[in-house]
């Protein structure tokens, strides 16, 4: 049994850390804060339940994320996995809202658009846009 299918585990004192965590927290824009918080979550609670946005699961370790991505019967993409913002319907967002094999054609197209060379070519423009 993997850590994902076992009962989620938190170290003492991490319940509050996980319960209030959300990816849209402005504090995560500060890189040292982000590294500290995500580092704590990875070491103290790699799988936990946040109550933000009506509740969702937070998986912070890469190996566990990969395991979830490869098991759509248990961790389906047809159920939104990111917190829902008011007025945003991501339920059928393509390709995010599809499981394999239905998402495979979209993934093939998008993979070519996000090669390291293409992403590097967009870096200055994206950074300028992000700094707004």
């Amino acid at each position: 049994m993997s850590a994902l299918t076992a009962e989620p585990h938190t170290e003492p004192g991490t319940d509050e850390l996980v319960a209030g965590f959300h990816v849209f927290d402005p504090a995560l824009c500060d890189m040292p804060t982000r590294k500290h918080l995500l580092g704590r979550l990875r070491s103290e609670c790699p799988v936990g339940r946040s109550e933000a946005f009506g509740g969702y699961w937070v998986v912070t370790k890469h190996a566990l994320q990969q395991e979830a991505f490869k098991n759509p019967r248990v961790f389906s993409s047809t159920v939104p996995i990111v917190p829902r913002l008011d007025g945003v319907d991501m339920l059928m967002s393509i390709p995010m809202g599809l499981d394999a094999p239905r998402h495979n054609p979209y993934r093939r197209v998008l993979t070519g658009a996000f090669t390291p060379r293409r992403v590097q070519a967009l870096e200055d423009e994206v950074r300028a846009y992000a700094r707004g």
Side-chain angles (χ1 to χ4, degrees), residues 6 10 14 43 53 123 125 128:
T10 58
T14 60
S43 65
F53 301 100
E123 183 177 2
E125 183 179 345

Side-chain angles (χ1 to χ4, degrees), residues 54-121:
Y56 67 101
W57 290 98
V58 178
V59 181
T60 59
K61 285 200 172 180
H62 184 263
L64 296 175
Q65 292 167 353
Q66 293 302 307
E67 182 180 332
F69 296 149
K70 293 175 183 176
N71 191 347
R73 278 188 245 167
V74 177
F75 305 100
S76 176
S77 293
T78 61
V79 177
I81 58 171
V82 292
R84 290 170 294 289
L85 296 175
D86 289 338
V88 177
D89 182 15
M90 291 196 56
L91 184 59
M92 287 311 296
S93 178
I94 296 174
M96 298 291 289
L98 300 175
D99 289 326
R102 289 180 62 210
H103 86 281
N104 292 351
Y106 299 99
R107 184 175 180 176
R108 277 191 288 278
V109 170
L110 292 172
T111 297
F114 291 98
T115 63
R117 183 184 309 208
R118 287 195 174 180
V119 171
Q120 186 176 19

